[in-house]
Amino acid sequence: GRVGGAGVRKLRRFYTSDEIAGIYGNGYDHTRWPEHVERVKRTIAIANVLIVQEQLTTAVDLSAGDGAIIRGLTGLTGTRTSDGNIEAEIRHMRDGEVDLFICTETIEHLEAPWTVLERVAEKARWLVLSCPLDEDPKIGNYEHYWSFDSVDVDDMLACAGFDSRRMYLLTDDSWTYDYQLWTARSTVCST
């Protein structure tokens, strides 16, 4: 069954480029919110287990976060971050360029997250992805375009070319959201 059960929902209209610059112009610092600090800590722990189990050596995080997750990963010989446009950055990557693609708290901000996930499947062997689980529109997060339940994300990952999909529920009674964190292996990556 569905975790959350509401299915994919569009929460608001897409913003113009100028509106986006105004919304995201000040950058992101996960330490401003205790909920984000704990989510980042749990994500790092799960990603580090994946790195060891799958013998991953390179990673990229092109989300517009503060790079805390990729800095917390261990055992890697190469990492790259960006605070730019994730869609443009992915287009410039070579197929099979990295072992692990970090995509946390990102797909709910994208106009076409399914397309981004298809490109990620071509560029990286493994994915770590997170987003709010079945976000209630009443929360009113003006940055989020989409709300996904776990079946939505599982379907998007499968259609994009990922298998070995595993969801972890990150939750706490004091948090605004429950988060779904996924690990998945690309079936289309050329490495």
Side-chain angles (χ1 to χ4, degrees), residues 168-181:
Y168 301 83
L169 180 61
L170 308 182
T171 187
D172 187 280
D173 289 340
S174 66
W175 291 1
T176 303
Y177 303 109
D178 290 336
Y179 297 93
Q180 50 186 317
L181 182 125

Side-chain angles (χ1 to χ4, degrees), residues 12-182:
R12 68 188 70 302
R13 68 174 180 81
F14 299 133
Y15 293 119
T16 66
S17 297
D18 288 342
E19 289 171 323
I20 289 171
I23 291 169
Y24 297 111
N26 294 329
Y28 169 76
D29 175 3
H30 82 282
T31 63
R32 293 190 311 211
W33 300 278
E35 177 175 331
H36 291 214
V37 170
E38 185 60 27
R39 178 187 49 78
V40 165
K41 185 173 100 177
R42 293 182 193 182
T43 301
I44 290 168
I46 291 167
N48 275 328
V49 168
L50 182 67
I51 289 166
V52 170
Q53 287 177 340
E54 299 302 326
Q55 301 175 358
L56 308 179
T57 60
T58 59
V60 65
D61 183 348
L62 303 180
S63 305
D66 60 6
I69 292 171
I70 204 161
R71 285 192 312 272
L73 302 180
T74 58
L76 298 172
T77 59
T79 62
R80 190 176 90 200
T81 61
S82 172
D83 60 1
N85 179 310
I86 188 171
E87 293 98 332
E89 295 268 350
I90 290 171
R91 276 194 300 275
H92 297 313
M93 288 178 66
R94 293 183 320 278
D95 287 359
E97 183 172 329
V98 296
D99 291 332
L100 178 61
F101 195 102
I102 306 295
C103 187
T104 56
E105 304 311 302
T106 303
I107 64 170
E108 66 274 19
H109 299 262
L110 301 175
E111 289 186 24
W114 36 87
T115 303
V116 169
L117 292 174
E118 288 174 357
R119 298 297 78 80
V120 170
E122 297 166 353
K123 311 299 181 182
R125 289 179 37 221
W126 282 88
L127 170 69
V128 169
L129 175 144
S130 70
C131 64
L133 174 64
D134 196 20
E135 180 176 338
D136 186 337
K138 294 176 189 161
I139 291 172
N141 187 323
Y142 64 91
E143 295 180 0
H144 295 178
Y145 293 141
W146 303 102
S147 171
F148 306 103
D149 67 21
S150 63
V151 173
D152 301 323
V153 174
D154 190 50
D155 289 347
M156 279 193 298
L157 291 171
C159 289
F162 290 97
D163 69 3
S164 301
R165 298 178 305 278
R166 181 171 181 190
M167 188 194 91
Y168 301 83
L169 180 61
L170 308 182
T171 187
D172 187 280
D173 289 340
S174 66
W175 291 1
T176 303
Y177 303 109
D178 290 336
Y179 297 93
Q180 50 186 317
L181 182 125
W182 290 83

